[in-house]
Amino acid sequence: MEVAVTSIAPAVPISRDAALRLIACCDADLPELLAAARAAKERFKPGVITYSRKVFLPLTNLCRDYCGYCTFRRDPGDAGAHTMTPDEVLAVARAGEKLGCTEALFSLGDKPELLFPEMRETLRHLGYKSTLHYLEAMCGLVLRETSLLPHPNPGLLSAEWISRLAAVSPSMGLMLETTNASLLAPGAAHDNAPDKLPAKRLRTIEDAGKQNVPFTTGLLIGIGESLKDRVETLLAIREMNDRYGHIQEVIVQNFRVKPTIPMANWPEPTRGEMLRAVAVARLLLPNVNIQAPPNLSAPYYDDLVDAGINDWGGVSPLTPDFINPDKPWPHLEQLRLRTEAKGFALHQRLPVYPEFFPAVTAKPGLLAEKLCAAADDQGLARIKRAA
Ligand code: SF4
């Protein structure tokens, strides 16, 4: 191997040059790369892989963007187009509460009211000025009425909206996806997706950092980006974290093809590509939580443990993955058994990672109280149910 992984210093992030070489390593060198990544994970969070037991709340699947890989979004009038009512939100959250869930993941399209009069009418009927006002109210409702902690994922946010949502949720997220702006070109993955301009997404991530809001982000693998783009995207996230220290988690998410999407004929990234991307993420960010969703790598998802992840992300015992509805989450008992077979205990965490609690509890109030009530003495989920 051109970069000897044995030369990687413990807990020291690798350089751009090393990352560029390692992400392109040959199959013969892959085991050595994986061993280095797994060792880095063990220095960071030994013996344990975490997951967040969640309910998925697709508050609205209307979206003003048209990402080429998206099965979630709808236009008004499309089959399955839906905006949840407050009663529906509460019913799902309460059902999840009974199953030991501790996270209410709000995923939704980006500002659909800017494009669709139908959404403006729905919001008017519900009594809210915008989708973000409605989201804020629903996060507040779940926070007040249940033991679940909201984690909103609503797309681009202004500094003001980050502040408002941070008052009703301990963490939030926005995938950077890629730093390659040429993917907005005609025919590319982000054609007609103005909210996917990398500079705008970095601005949201930076604004969250300035407010010390625990933030989840990540990259997509296989949407037309190059190996170099993957490294540059990870480096952009690292730079944000170096400046503000608020990146609680980096998701490495692989593109999966679906028959109904504009990218229906695109190749999926190979298992080897995914392992290299995860391993390089771990070595670039040795002290950051790295997550990869198991349902998108089934049936071989446990290989991701070998590449240095320390978290499986949100897994629901109740609601389907509305973003990838044809990829069911592994049954939690299976996830536990396969994690243990790899030599790790599976622990349930909260949507905000333990090391980021001080950012939330520093502001007294209902959110801090609910977080403390939900956490055990290690900052993981206090209430745990059998899988
Ligand atoms: S990926 Fe997100 S922003 Fe893109 S179309 Fe789907 S819901 Fe909209």
Side-chain angles (χ1 to χ4, degrees), residues 271-322:
R271 180 174 154 271
E273 277 183 87
M274 190 58 186
L275 293 176
R276 285 169 176 82
V278 170
V280 168
R282 165 56 63 214
L283 295 173
L284 279 169
L285 296 152
N287 303 310
V288 174
N289 297 295
I290 304 285
Q291 183 227 115
N295 59 319
L296 298 184
S297 290
Y300 305 112
Y301 63 82
D302 35 3
D303 291 351
L304 296 165
V305 172
D306 295 325
I309 62 160
N310 64 287
D311 190 86
W312 291 121
V315 180
S316 179
L318 176 70
T319 50
D321 181 351
F322 288 94

Side-chain angles (χ1 to χ4, degrees), residues 9 79 97 107 155 172 226 230 250 283 287 340-341 361-362:
E97 193 175 21
S107 260
M172 62 189 77
S226 65
R230 293 173 195 170
V250 173
L283 295 173
N287 303 310
E340 288 175 0
T361 54

Side-chain angles (χ1 to χ4, degrees), residues 244-272:
Y244 302 105
H246 69 307
I247 303 298
Q248 65 156 359
E249 173 183 42
V250 173
I251 303 173
V252 185
Q253 183 172 336
N254 47 321
F255 164 69
R256 295 302 308 260
V257 78
K258 300 128 197 148
T260 53
I261 56 173
M263 289 167 63
N265 295 318
W266 283 50
E268 294 183 338
T270 63
R271 180 174 154 271

Side-chain angles (χ1 to χ4, degrees), residues 63 65-67 69-70 72-73 108-110 177 196:
C63 180
D65 296 296
Y66 289 82
C67 300
Y69 44 79
C70 184
F72 176 73
R73 73 162 316 286
L108 50 149
D110 206 322
E177 299 195 4
K196 295 300 169 83

Side-chain angles (χ1 to χ4, degrees), residues 164-225:
R164 288 178 69 152
L165 292 176
V168 285
S169 53
S171 55
M172 62 189 77
L174 176 77
M175 292 288 279
L176 174 56
E177 299 195 4
T178 180
T179 48
N180 184 344
S182 72
L183 296 189
L184 278 89
H190 290 151
D191 180 11
N192 201 11
D195 296 306
K196 295 300 169 83
L197 197 66
K200 289 187 187 171
R201 299 177 86 75
L202 284 165
R203 172 85 184 267
T204 292
I205 297 169
E206 178 158 31
D207 283 341
K210 287 178 180 167
Q211 298 181 49
N212 197 26
V213 172
F215 208 82
T216 293
T217 188
L219 69 163
L220 292 185
I221 304 296
I223 59 167
E225 82 292 353

